[in-house]
Amino acid sequence: MTTQNLLVELFVEELPPKALKKLGDAFAGVLLEQLKSQGLAAADAVLTSFASPRRLAAHIPAVAAQAADKAVSQKLMPVAVGLDASGNATPALLKKLQALGADASAVAGLKRALDGKAEALFYDSTVKGATLVEGLQKALLEAIAKLPIPKVMTYQLADGWSDVKFVRPAHGLVALHGSDVVAIEALGLKAGNTTHGHRFEAALDPVVLKDADSYAATLQKDGAVIASFAARKAEIARQLAAAAAKVGGGVKAIEDEALLDEVTALVERPNVLVCEFEKEFLDVPQECLILTMKANQKYFPLLDASGKLSNKFLVVSNISPADASAVIGGNERVVRPRLADAKFFFDQDRKKTLASRVAGLDKVVYHNKLGTQGERIQRVRAIAKAIGQQLGGDVLAQQADQAAQLAKTDLVTDMVGEFPELQGIMGRYYALNDGLPADIADAIEDHYKPRFAGDELPRNAVGVVVALADKLETLVGMFGIGNLPTGDKDPFALRRHALGVTRMLVEKDLPLDLTALVTGAGAAFGDKIQDASTALVDFIYDRLAGSLREQGYSAQEVDAVLALKPQRLGDVAKRLAAVRAFAALPEAPALAAANKRVGNILKKAEGTVEAKINPALLQEAAEKSLAEALQSVAPKADAAFAAGDYAASLQALAALKAPVDAFFEGVMVNAEDTALRANRLGLLATLHQAMNRVADLSKLAT
């Protein structure tokens, strides 16, 4: 089977930059999978995908001109349906064979084989392998159909009558098998061997491709385009570093993977230039300047070693003129009004205090079932005061109340109105401008933290309290009105809020009970919502379980600890460490299995079983030994548990292995005598209680 390398390119108008990488990977990936499924490409073929602002392409090695023929065994029908009593073919069988291109002569060659309980007829045939033209045509149409297109356009073809739907109007199609053009069509285009390069800097137009393997090199040489997304991204990163080094002073371009990807999707031939703005703008909080440069202009701000913003920035241009002064000057002129707007907003906002803006929150709707932001703030204040009182008495409660009252006031400032991403950040600047203490100002910014996985936690106690209160108010409110996450939809980020609550409780080791926190937050709503505290507590434990598994704890370890729903989440890590140490003991498997057995026995028992033993009713030697062992071990385990030494508490249980094994070998729990049976169940309940204070050990049983 002869093979050659294959190149397919779809040349289009400028693609949406934020989706380009995903579009490129999807286009190439579906092409390869389709060719593999038809036997035209090897199972281990190494795919190279290309994606630039105006093209999607794929290079696939060793693609066959025609797939190998395949032997196919096809089930026809049960023997009882296909053959009559004399063994002759029925009309149904003959019709089926005819549909497959065979006639009555094929009946003698049919095979019989069991299919479930009945015998069936099977027809063996050879299916001719697909040609590359057929297979690639099918693969290309499938790749186009499966593109994750953000929004489809409808446009007319050159004939003026037909129209097609695609992400952007397509103007060219290349399909080269080695140096041969593969005659396929898509989107009203016929495949050829020519494409187009850079709009302004291509040396030739059209660009003629000699063969599949020369695609990238020819496009770069004749078309002034770096076709590979990865290569273009690496080149931009290299130029950014070189330009920053040229500026000097230890500055570096801001690290932002999403911005780098977006800029890579905007240029075909990157050229990084150094620009600057007036130093007077540096009086504006740098977060504002950085955001407007990144979000609005796609520029790369330069920061010094301490993270302070420089008045120089980098632009990734798509052209490389001999004299770049016009490009530099143009970008400097464009950014100046943006920075001037930020300075204006900042100056205007500082004319009013945050406290004077509190009343304005009554006009901002939070949720139609939960009222305004003003009402929400009152709930957050109540929750924050209660948590602050628990953690730090009157002083912390008063600080948390003040920070909570002002936490959302920057939502009604001009700066946050223009740049919502700066909420909290601007609140801190304005609080400091108002002369408020640093603890309060920091808490106003930090009450949104952690904003995402791996984000830092609030930096002080006031911030932790207000952040907890804010997240609990959101969770309790949304659960209370039944606004829960479904599938991948979570518009109010409840999963993230739940993880934020668990992280603060765990990492700050806060002496707070989870259920009490949730029910306390619910009290702030009065009768405005339904009580969903049980469902919310379970939801938070689920988020915690997922987080712990991501941290490397096994599902068994996590299930064992969280099955008891420990209220102090700060204890969870210690419990997990204790469970891991216990599981390494030689006695652990037997004790875990016994614990599971005990749990099952107690579940099946009639009525409530009290963890109580009457020594006078202990008859068998094995049950007496177990009672004595419990009397010796339980106090040690309980003392270690009370001291927070969970590892020692669990390890003390190792001494119970022998008496537990002997008990199950020699004692009938469900004795006919009611008093005897109740006492033995009480003994098992006592054992179960002693074994499951740190974790549910039955979860460790395999």
Side-chain angles (χ1 to χ4, degrees), residues 77-94 107 110 112 119 121:
M77 59 188 64
V79 172
V81 177
L83 301 176
D84 61 20
S86 304
N88 297 318
T90 63
L93 177 58
L94 293 173
V107 174
L110 297 180
R112 297 186 182 201
E119 197 176 24
L121 294 170

Side-chain angles (χ1 to χ4, degrees), residues 197-198 201-208 216-225:
H198 195 287
E201 301 193 348
L204 299 172
D205 188 60
V207 175
V208 179
T218 303
L219 202 51
Q220 187 159 0
K221 178 172 73 74
D222 295 341
V225 171

